[in-house]
């Protein structure tokens, strides 16, 4: 799938499941957060929500769920 998401059989249920590789995810998030700081998103109210939104925008497309740029921007402005 991707270098930070794998599809494997769940050890308890035996069903296909997605697993995140923590170290690769951390690397990606660090890059995204550095990039967002360079774009002057700043710290403050809504920062945690923006981190979650950034994480979702990175992971959801890998598992077949997409967030349109319009919805992403609306959610971003709501968090600010």
């Amino acid at each position: 799938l991707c270098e930070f998401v794998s599809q494997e059989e769940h050890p308890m249920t035996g069903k296909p499941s997605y697993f995140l590789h923590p170290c690769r995810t951390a690397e990606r998030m660090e890059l995204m957060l550095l990039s967002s700081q360079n774009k002057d998103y700043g710290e403050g109210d809504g920062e945690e929500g923006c981190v979650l939104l950034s994480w979702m925008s990175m992971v959801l497309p890998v598992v077949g769920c997409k967030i349109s740029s319009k919805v992403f921007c609306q959610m971003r402005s709501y968090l600010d």
Side-chain angles (χ1 to χ4, degrees):
L1 284 172
C2 184
E3 61 190 47
F4 61 94
V5 178
S6 296
Q7 183 179 10
E8 299 176 12
E9 184 176 295
H10 191 280
M12 300 296 286
T13 66
K15 295 182 179 184
S17 301
Y18 293 102
F19 294 92
L20 299 176
H21 301 283
C23 55
R24 299 306 310 223
T25 303
E27 291 172 11
R28 294 281 178 143
M29 287 303 298
E30 184 176 342
L31 287 173
M32 289 178 79
L33 293 174
L34 285 172
S35 175
S36 69
Q37 288 172 356
N38 291 337
K39 292 179 182 171
D40 196 29
Y41 290 148
E43 296 184 14
D45 294 338
E47 182 181 1
E48 295 85 4
C50 292
V51 170
L52 178 59
L53 186 58
S54 295
W55 179 83
M56 289 171 57
S57 72
M58 176 178 69
V59 173
L60 290 179
V62 175
V63 296
C65 298
K66 298 186 191 275
I67 299 175
S68 73
S69 57
K70 181 180 177 180
V71 171
F72 182 90
C73 290
Q74 287 173 340
M75 293 171 69
R76 177 82 173 102
S77 65
Y78 175 75
L79 292 169
D80 284 339

